[in-house]
């Protein structure tokens, strides 16, 4: 995993954050995501395979299909059409209490 520099152009983690629960449909797992914690970090700590590269919402490496909830998209790699079905796990969050991914 490569660490990208923290730049002013980053769209990740720049807004108010709240905790939510990440639901993994295929893995049948529910994982809490705390404010300031990324979904990518939570998945990696839980042993769920997820490739990341930039961790800034730029490269698209971590893009995953979401199934339910209201994602707070913070990437700059997906079009609004793509965001209707996918999100960048490294920097998206949830507007609601739960977010379900196709993992
Ligand atoms: Fe690059 Fe998520 S790791 S967009």
């Amino acid at each position: 995993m490569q660490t990208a520099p923290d730049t002013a152009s980053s769209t990740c983690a720049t807004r108010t954050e709240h905790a939510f629960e990440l639901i993994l449909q295929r893995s049948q797992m529910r994982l809490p995501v705390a404010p300031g914690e990324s979904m990518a970090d939570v998945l990696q700590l839980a042993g769920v395979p997820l490739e990341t590269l930039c961790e800034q919402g730029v490269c698209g490496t971590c893009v995953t299909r979401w199934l339910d909830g209201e994602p707070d998209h913070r990437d700059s790699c997906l079009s609004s059409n793509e965001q209707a079905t996918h999100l960048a796990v490294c920097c998206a969050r949830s507007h609601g209490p739960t977010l379900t991914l196709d993992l």
Side-chain angles (χ1 to χ4, degrees):
M1 181 170 47
Q2 185 179 0
T3 302
D6 187 18
T7 66
S9 63
S10 169
T11 57
C12 295
T14 56
R15 296 177 229 163
T16 304
E17 297 183 348
H18 62 86
F20 61 97
E21 187 173 43
L22 184 58
I23 300 172
L24 308 184
Q25 181 81 22
R26 285 188 279 127
S27 305
Q28 296 287 296
M29 294 173 73
R30 301 175 79 100
L31 302 168
V33 181
E37 192 174 38
S38 79
M39 289 193 285
D41 289 344
V42 167
L43 290 172
Q44 287 165 352
L45 284 172
V48 178
L50 176 75
E51 264 192 69
T52 61
L53 184 59
C54 72
E55 298 194 3
Q56 298 286 317
V58 175
C59 72
T61 302
C62 68
V63 168
T64 299
R65 196 157 74 102
W66 63 273
L67 302 172
D68 193 37
E70 189 183 354
D72 178 4
H73 294 284
R74 300 180 177 195
D75 65 86
S76 54
C77 62
L78 295 172
S79 69
S80 52
N81 277 351
E82 291 169 327
Q83 288 180 342
T85 55
H86 290 75
L87 54 75
V89 177
C90 67
C91 74
R93 296 193 64 81
S94 176
H95 286 299
T98 63
L99 184 64
T100 304
L101 300 184
D102 186 22
L103 287 175

